[in-house]
Amino acid sequence: MDVDAFVLANRPTWDRLEYLVKRKRHLTGAEVDELVDLYQRVSTHLSIVRSSSSDAVLVGKLSGLVARARAVVTGAHAPLWREFARFWTVSFPVVVFRSWRWWVASGAAFYLVAAVVAVWVARNPEVQAAIGTPSEIAQIVNHDFADYYSEHPASSFALQVWVNNAWVAAQCITMAILLGIPIPYILFQNAANLGVNAGLMFDAGRGDIFLGLITPHGLIELTAVFVAAGVGMRLGWSVIAPGDRPRSQVLAEQGRAVVSVAIGLVAVLLVAGAIEGFVTPSSLPTAARVTIGVLALAAFIGYVVYFGRRAVAAGETGDIENAPDVLPTG
């Protein structure tokens, strides 16, 4: 098919449909009938382009136009509460659930690197000497590490932690546009930093303080980062190996999935920030603080497994309903 000739012949129809869609609130009866007719014709055009051309830009443009016209024709405007409920019971958990191999692998690699670095630092005085002088290290392990959690008011500290964690997760999400290639390096940097602190604290005999302070918030906080990293790398891999579907369609679907995860993790990291701001520095016994952290992680995993598995069984992918590039065109 000559795409240029096809576009030239049908552009007036598309432009007219675009015009009617924009005037949806002010259409006359005749214009409504015309809009329905044009919607059916442009849907057919979209079907033809998909089957005869690999022009992703043209397919995307017609898909968007057909989707908007369909919304006008059917009047399918879901209530806001329904969209909100769908997001938390379908869109977010199913994407996290479907990506579990990626983020579990990311977490396992992260903790392995952190453990190796911690052992390396703890067992090598020369490495510690490169990190700082004995007095500087003593200041870190005896004061700075613990004081970090209590030097600011809990509310402002919780906000600061949330912003910092959201930034790390956002980096992983953003790197998805580069096929996820930089994500392992971002994880390595954070794992190495955690390992250095763990090595210094354990070598000084303060490993119990380290675990007591890092575990309550760290479990769910790091899991959120792993999810962001896993979903980002999964998107990159889907572009490299899209399977039997068009690469543009897979990229659009996975891109919307990444956005869903980014939004959902804002709430997850808010919980982590609240725990770090109010629970970690509290006077609660260490066992109680750790238990709160474990319960928060268990609640998140249980939520993802329950709603994610149910959504998978229903054939959901986490994509938006009536997504433009999967919209029926007949």
Side-chain angles (χ1 to χ4, degrees):
M1 181 182 74
D2 187 333
V3 176
D4 292 334
F6 185 82
V7 171
L8 185 62
N10 293 289
R11 184 179 296 279
T13 300
W14 305 341
D15 290 343
R16 178 60 177 171
L17 179 59
E18 180 86 37
Y19 172 76
L20 293 176
V21 168
K22 289 181 178 179
R23 294 189 65 251
K24 59 186 178 182
R25 297 184 184 279
H26 308 284
L27 297 178
T28 64
E31 286 176 330
V32 170
D33 292 338
E34 182 185 7
L35 186 146
V36 173
D37 177 63
L38 292 178
Y39 161 67
Q40 294 172 339
R41 289 163 59 185
V42 176
S43 294
T44 302
H45 294 167
L46 175 57
S47 180
I48 293 172
V49 170
R50 276 183 172 160
S51 61
S52 307
S53 172
S54 58
D55 189 333
V57 175
L58 180 58
V59 171
K61 179 179 179 180
L62 289 181
S63 295
L65 178 57
V66 169
R68 285 183 285 119
R70 174 189 172 90
V72 176
V73 170
T74 62
H77 300 287
L80 183 60
W81 67 265
R82 181 177 178 275
E83 294 297 333
F84 182 82
R86 174 179 168 78
F87 177 83
W88 291 109
T89 59
V90 177
S91 303
F92 176 57
V94 76
V95 173
V96 177
F97 184 78
R98 285 183 176 275
S99 306
W100 74 268
R101 290 180 178 84
W102 289 89
W103 56 266
V104 168
S106 298
F110 181 97
Y111 286 123
L112 177 61
V113 169
V116 169
V117 171
V119 172
W120 181 53
V121 170
R123 293 185 176 181
N124 290 274
E126 61 274 17
V127 175
Q128 296 181 26
I131 295 173
T133 64
S135 60
E136 290 173 336
I137 293 177
Q139 177 67 25
I140 292 173
V141 300
N142 294 321
H143 301 286
D144 292 352
F145 187 82
D147 291 347
Y148 168 77
Y149 296 97
S150 57
E151 60 184 2
H152 300 293
S155 57
S156 62
F157 182 57
L159 178 60
Q160 174 188 336
V161 168
W162 176 67
V163 171
N164 178 71
N165 295 336
W167 168 241
V168 175
Q171 284 182 291
C172 294
I173 292 292
T174 303
M175 290 303 105
I177 65 176
L178 298 178
L179 305 185
I181 294 174
I183 292 177
Y185 177 67
I186 295 174
L187 291 179
F188 176 81
Q189 283 184 308
N190 285 274
N193 182 61
L194 179 65
V196 167
N197 282 282
L200 294 177
M201 292 292 286
F202 274 89
D203 184 61
R206 297 175 66 83
D208 57 335
I209 295 177
F210 174 82
L211 293 177
L213 290 174
I214 207 75
T215 302
H217 64 275
L219 290 175
I220 190 169
E221 171 185 300
L222 289 175
T223 299
V225 172
F226 302 152
V227 169
V231 172
M233 289 188 287
R234 185 182 182 219
L235 181 144
W237 181 250
S238 70
V239 175
I240 297 172
D244 57 358
R245 293 192 297 164
R247 183 172 277 105
S248 60
Q249 180 178 341
V250 175
L251 178 60
E253 178 183 300
Q254 292 300 316
R256 288 189 291 267
V258 168
V259 173
S260 294
V261 168
I263 296 172
L265 289 183
V266 169
V268 178
L269 289 171
L270 188 61
V271 173
I275 293 175
E276 189 167 358
F278 294 95
V279 176
T280 299
S282 71
S283 58
L284 290 172
T286 299
R289 288 186 279 113
V290 171
T291 298
I292 291 174
V294 171
L295 290 176
L297 177 62
F300 175 67
I301 298 297
Y303 156 75
V304 168
V305 171
Y306 175 76
F307 287 105
R309 180 179 292 170
R310 191 172 69 169
V312 168
E316 294 282 356
T317 64
D319 204 1
I320 60 175
E321 294 181 296
N322 297 323
D325 54 324
V326 294
L327 192 68
T329 59

